[in-house]
């Protein structure tokens, strides 16, 4: 069932940013595929901004404020069968995500900067989508699970446990 | 033993805020530096061997994987070498747009280094997030400029990480006019920010540490060098890129998986400071005046002025991109057709960290018989060790281990070393025994 097109009931005043991380091709494109699918379903929601980002640091190109909330969709590996969707708070990210290059700003560094800059205090959540060894397609099961997570995220009061 | 005649060893096990894995080891005997080793233990990546038997396009796409920060430098250097073999002279449109794409990489790479790696050192923070709590506007400005660089690369390469748009003879496709118009608007809107960045960086409390070194860079007849030029130094070197191997000798040292390099038997510097030292007259007048107004004189012998050179090059790159896309129209033929042929060719361009040199030999089918890649960090390694020895001695070898370790790391980070590129870094150990 597509995401219900109605304003957030949470009463949060900030914008909700939903970013797919990845690239246009290869197994790493799952985050982009998910963002593309969800952007269509969220098109009427003026309180939600959906974008595809080539690098986590590109999120700073958006005018994020303290009152906003942030949902990141990214491909993951080694967390279950292909298509598995898992939700994480920044603190729950697998350790290997934190050990990224200092030259690029990886996900962990970008989120540390978001925290240090006092942005997106209304909540940050990361949805990981398990990639397949070859190719990258979003199955209907994964899409439905993503919809569920996005629906919960949009409905949750700002700063609630589901949003952190 | 008194403090002035201290002996011992200091080890930095793993260097922070550098790309790749390495360490620093020093041994002090009776107050004098006895040995200093910049240890690079990241496993060799053997890229040159992996390229053997591959075609030109595979080389261009493959070398982009050497580095996530400077893939364009690798692609542009490889394509220059390959086009030399294939007998292709890129069209003026291709030449201009390649320079624009390269400007994007300078913007993003320099922005990252200034804001996330170097500036925290000068302002007394142990990390970029810690600095961001005190300097939020400056960090966000830097990240916006970095994102702008990514956007330029994505426009031409389809994506900013390991872009895929470059091919022998040009690009697979020409960006449409609307995409370039949107890019142009963003560049225009960011000019004030990149100018303000120069002033901010010039005002940082940079240590005074003048040293004697040879600055080596490309030199172009008319432009600030990025994609082409002759190799020059401020000591009189002036050679075509084909003569590089006659002057630069690479060699292995036991403590590093990355080759060291000497120019005519001496360490030398490549990178933004060397580039600016050798090409001050290639800056636009207004930019040179802005720099002079900030009171920092170039050519400079102070390695810590590298961060100022990076900020200057960011604004230059932004303005160059704007200038080159001013009357943009998509090329009807964004690339020339190519026919495989045998031969040997070299390419040399100015990666963000300094000159990057490639040589390929192709067989009659256009497949790689041999490849040689000399990245900037390899070239700077001997200079870094020379700098560390001078800088730590001047800083005071009697200082405690933590202070020496921090200063050593700052000196190394100032070079923006890319060990992943070079291995093809910091574990710090000081022996005072």
């Amino acid at each position: 069932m597509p995401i219900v097109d109605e304003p957030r009931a949470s009463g949060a005043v900030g914008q909700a940013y939903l970013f797919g991380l990845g690239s246009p091709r290869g197994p790493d494109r799952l985050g982009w595929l998910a963002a593309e699918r969800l952007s269509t379903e969220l098109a009427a929601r003026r309180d939600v901004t959906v974008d595809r980002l080539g690098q986590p640091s590109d999120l700073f190109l958006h005018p994020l404020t303290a009152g906003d909330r942030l949902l990141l969709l990214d491909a993951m590996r080694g967390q279950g069968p292909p298509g598995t969707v898992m939700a994480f708070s920044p603190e729950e990210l697998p350790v290997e995500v934190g050990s990224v290059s200092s030259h690029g700003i990886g996900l962990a560094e970008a989120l540390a900067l978001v925290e240090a800059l006092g942005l997106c205090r209304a909540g940050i959540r990361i949805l990981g989508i398990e990639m397949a060894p070859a190719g990258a397609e979003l199955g209907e099961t994964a899409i439905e699970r993503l919809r569920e997570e996005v629906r919960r995220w949009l409905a949750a009061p700002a700063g609630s446990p589901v949003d952190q | 033993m008194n403090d002035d005649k201290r002996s011992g060893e200091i080890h930095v096990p793993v260097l922070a805020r550098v790309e790749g894995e390495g360490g620093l080891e020093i041994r002090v005997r009776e107050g004098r530096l006895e040995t200093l080793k910049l240890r690079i233990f990241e496993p060799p990546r053997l890229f040159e061997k992996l390229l053997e038997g591959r075609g030109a396009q595979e080389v261009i796409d493959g070398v982009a994987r050497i580095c996530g920060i400077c893939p364009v430098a690798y692609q542009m250097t490889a394509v220059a070498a390959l086009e030399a073999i294939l007998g292709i002279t890129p069209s003026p449109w291709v030449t201009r747009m390649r320079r624009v794409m390269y400007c994007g990489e300078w913007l993003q790479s320099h922005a990252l280094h200034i804001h996330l790696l170097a500036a925290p050192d000068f302002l007394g923070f142990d990390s970029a997030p810690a600095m961001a709590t005190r300097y939020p506007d400056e960090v966000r400005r830097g990240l916006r400029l970095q994102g702008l660089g990514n956007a330029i690369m994505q426009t031409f390469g389809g994506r900013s990480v390991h872009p895929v748009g470059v091919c022998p003879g040009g690009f697979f496709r020409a960006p449409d006019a609307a995409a370039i118009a949107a890019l142009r608007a963003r560049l225009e809107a960011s000019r004030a920010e990149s100018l303000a960045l120069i002033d901010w960086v010039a005002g940082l409390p940079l240590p005074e540490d003048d040293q004697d070194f040879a600055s080596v860079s490309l030199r172009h007849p008319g432009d600030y060098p990025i994609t082409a030029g002759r190799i020059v130094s401020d000591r009189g070197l002036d050679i075509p890129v084909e003569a590089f191997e006659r002057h630069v000798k690479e060699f292995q040292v036991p403590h590093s998986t990355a080759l060291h390099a000497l120019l005519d038997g001496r360490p030398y510097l490549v990178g933004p400071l060397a580039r600016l030292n050798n090409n001050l007259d290639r800056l636009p007048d207004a930019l040179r005046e802005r720099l002079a107004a900030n009171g920092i004189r170039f050519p400079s012998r102070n390695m810590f002025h590298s961060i100022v050179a990076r900020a200057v090059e960011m604004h230059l790159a932004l303005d160059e991109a704007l200038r080159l896309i001013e009357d943009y129209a998509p090329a009807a033929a964004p690339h020339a057709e190519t026919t495989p042929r045998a031969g040997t060719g070299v390419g040399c361009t100015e990666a963000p960290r300094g000159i990057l040199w490639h040589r390929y030999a192709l067989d009659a089918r256009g497949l790689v018989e041999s490849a040689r890649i000399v990245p900037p960090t390899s070239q700077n390694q001997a200079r870094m060790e020379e700098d560390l020895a001078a800088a730590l001695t001047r800083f005071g070898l009697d200082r405690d281990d933590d202070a020496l370790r921090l200063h050593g790391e700052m000196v190394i980070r100032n070079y923006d070393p890319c060990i992943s590129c070079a291995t093809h870094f910091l574990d710090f150990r000081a022996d005072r025994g």
Side-chain angles (χ1 to χ4, degrees):
Chain A
M1 186 177 75
I3 296 167
V4 178
D5 176 19
E6 61 187 23
R8 279 215 311 267
S10 64
V13 292
Q15 189 74 0
Y17 288 96
L18 190 158
F19 295 140
L21 302 173
S23 62
R25 293 180 181 81
D28 188 37
R29 67 178 174 145
L30 283 177
W32 280 31
L33 286 175
E36 281 166 13
R37 260 312 265 274
L38 295 170
S39 69
T40 309
E41 299 178 15
L42 292 164
R45 301 266 316 229
R46 283 178 300 174
D47 60 336
V48 182
T49 299
V50 183
D51 198 1
R52 298 170 304 179
L53 307 181
Q55 303 185 27
S57 58
D58 286 347
L59 63 87
F60 294 104
L61 295 173
H62 290 265
L64 308 176
T65 67
D68 298 333
R69 60 174 70 187
L70 177 63
L71 182 68
L72 300 170
L73 311 172
D74 200 0
M76 65 180 181
R77 190 157 52 190
Q79 304 294 320
T84 298
V85 174
M86 293 180 72
F88 304 91
S89 67
E91 298 77 22
E92 293 168 339
L93 281 174
V95 174
E96 58 270 24
V97 175
S99 58
V100 292
S101 159
S102 55
H103 264 33
I105 308 181
L107 183 54
E109 282 94 343
L111 292 177
L113 282 168
V114 168
E115 166 79 21
L117 291 165
L119 306 173
C120 300
R121 289 284 167 85
I124 301 171
R125 199 150 181 83
I126 303 109
L127 295 181
I129 311 157
E130 182 72 23
M131 61 173 79
E137 296 300 331
L138 272 179
E140 281 307 313
T141 308
I143 290 169
E144 189 49 45
R145 178 94 167 85
L146 286 167
R147 282 196 193 105
E148 271 174 38
E149 289 288 346
V150 172
R151 206 177 289 123
R152 286 176 62 205
W153 173 67
L154 289 171
S160 70
V162 72
D163 215 7
Q164 291 183 320
Chain B
M1 183 187 81
N2 67 39
D3 283 342
D4 293 329
K5 299 288 183 186
R6 192 171 180 181
S7 296
E9 291 184 350
I10 295 178
H11 305 267
V12 177
V14 179
L15 281 169
R17 305 210 313 275
V18 297
E19 166 63 25
E21 295 175 13
L24 177 62
E25 192 173 314
I26 67 169
R27 181 175 296 160
V28 180
R29 290 279 181 273
E30 297 182 351
R32 294 171 65 92
L33 193 61
E34 188 176 86
T35 58
L36 183 149
K37 292 175 180 171
L38 187 56
R39 294 171 48 245
I40 291 185
F41 46 77
E42 181 156 315
R45 298 169 71 201
L46 309 172
F47 255 95
E48 286 102 328
K49 200 68 186 169
L50 289 169
L51 294 173
E52 290 180 8
R54 311 270 177 183
Q57 191 60 54
E58 284 183 290
V59 171
I60 295 166
D61 292 336
V63 295
R65 300 286 174 150
I66 291 175
C67 183
I69 301 303
C70 49
V72 174
Y74 279 91
Q75 291 187 308
M76 295 300 182
T77 312
V79 81
L82 295 164
E83 288 172 348
I85 300 170
L86 299 171
I88 298 168
T89 303
S91 69
W93 183 92
V94 168
T95 302
R96 287 198 308 274
M97 294 309 121
R98 283 182 176 170
R99 188 169 167 90
V100 174
M101 189 180 183
Y102 218 135
C103 285
E105 183 162 282
W106 276 24
L107 260 180
Q108 66 87 14
S109 178
H110 284 354
L112 273 176
H113 184 259
I114 289 173
H115 297 90
L116 300 191
L117 307 182
D121 277 332
F122 302 128
L123 291 169
F125 296 96
D126 63 2
S127 70
M131 188 181 89
T133 60
R134 284 281 305 278
Y135 293 90
D137 295 340
E138 289 82 359
V139 170
R140 290 196 76 171
R141 178 181 64 201
L143 292 166
R144 282 193 296 273
L145 290 167
Q146 187 251 347
L148 185 56
N150 286 340
I152 296 174
M153 290 193 290
Q154 191 170 338
T155 300
F156 290 91
R159 59 192 186 197
S160 59
V161 181
H162 310 314
V164 290
V166 178
C167 64
F171 293 91
F172 284 113
R173 64 170 190 85
D176 61 44
I180 294 293
L183 190 60
R184 183 172 171 74
R186 290 177 62 182
L187 287 163
E188 286 277 13
S190 301
R191 282 197 82 243
E193 292 205 316
S194 63
L195 277 172
L197 175 64
I198 296 174
D199 301 340
W200 182 68
V201 166
L204 291 173
L206 304 175
E208 289 294 332
D209 188 12
D210 280 11
Q211 297 187 14
D212 185 35
F213 54 84
S215 293
V216 176
S217 70
L218 290 183
R219 174 105 175 143
H220 185 273
D223 296 327
Y224 196 85
I226 301 179
T227 55
R230 289 171 65 84
I231 299 172
V232 303
S233 81
D234 54 1
R235 307 284 168 88
L237 181 78
D238 185 354
I239 57 171
V241 297
E242 292 79 7
F244 177 84
E245 288 176 292
R246 291 206 295 273
H247 293 267
V248 173
K249 300 298 177 199
E250 284 187 299
F251 58 97
Q252 200 162 18
V253 295
H255 58 274
S256 174
T257 52
L259 295 175
H260 279 221
L262 296 176
L263 171 71
D264 295 327
R266 297 282 307 153
Y268 61 105
L269 175 72
V270 298
L273 182 61
R275 248 183 334 248
L276 190 54
N277 278 348
N278 291 343
N279 292 282
L280 198 61
D281 59 338
R282 296 290 187 260
L283 290 182
D285 290 345
L287 189 50
R288 204 165 46 242
E289 285 160 14
R290 184 89 176 208
L291 190 57
N294 274 294
I296 297 182
R297 297 170 72 92
F298 287 92
S300 169
R301 314 312 305 170
N302 184 354
M303 274 306 307
F304 291 111
H305 286 163
S306 296
I307 192 170
V308 182
R310 282 190 183 90
V312 169
E313 287 190 339
M314 283 177 66
H315 184 72
L316 175 100
L318 192 153
D319 264 3
E320 272 292 276
L322 261 176
R323 177 180 71 81
L324 292 163
I325 61 175
E326 188 170 2
D327 299 314
Y328 179 83
H335 61 87
E337 295 304 321
T338 63
T339 305
R341 70 184 197 193
T344 299
V346 304
C348 186
T349 70
E350 284 283 2
R353 285 155 199 82
I355 56 173
L356 169 62
W357 189 89
H358 289 206
R359 172 176 45 73
Y360 299 98
L362 303 184
D363 65 19
R365 296 169 299 166
L367 303 180
V368 174
E369 287 184 325
S370 67
R372 185 174 175 211
I373 296 172
V374 185
T377 296
S378 291
Q379 299 179 68
N380 272 340
Q381 272 196 106
R383 168 87 269 272
M384 277 192 272
E385 288 191 346
E386 190 179 59
D387 185 350
L388 278 162
L392 290 177
T393 300
R394 186 174 304 191
F395 181 67
L397 294 169
D398 56 328
R399 306 251 193 156
D400 64 42
D401 285 9
D402 280 348
L404 277 172
R405 178 179 54 76
L406 284 172
H407 196 72
E409 286 193 297
M410 180 170 76
V411 168
I412 293 162
R413 277 195 287 270
N414 186 52
Y415 285 80
D416 194 12
C418 185
I419 289 163
S420 298
C421 285
T423 55
H424 67 118
F425 158 117
L426 193 68
D427 177 5
F428 181 69
R429 300 178 195 169
D431 176 354
R432 303 175 191 268

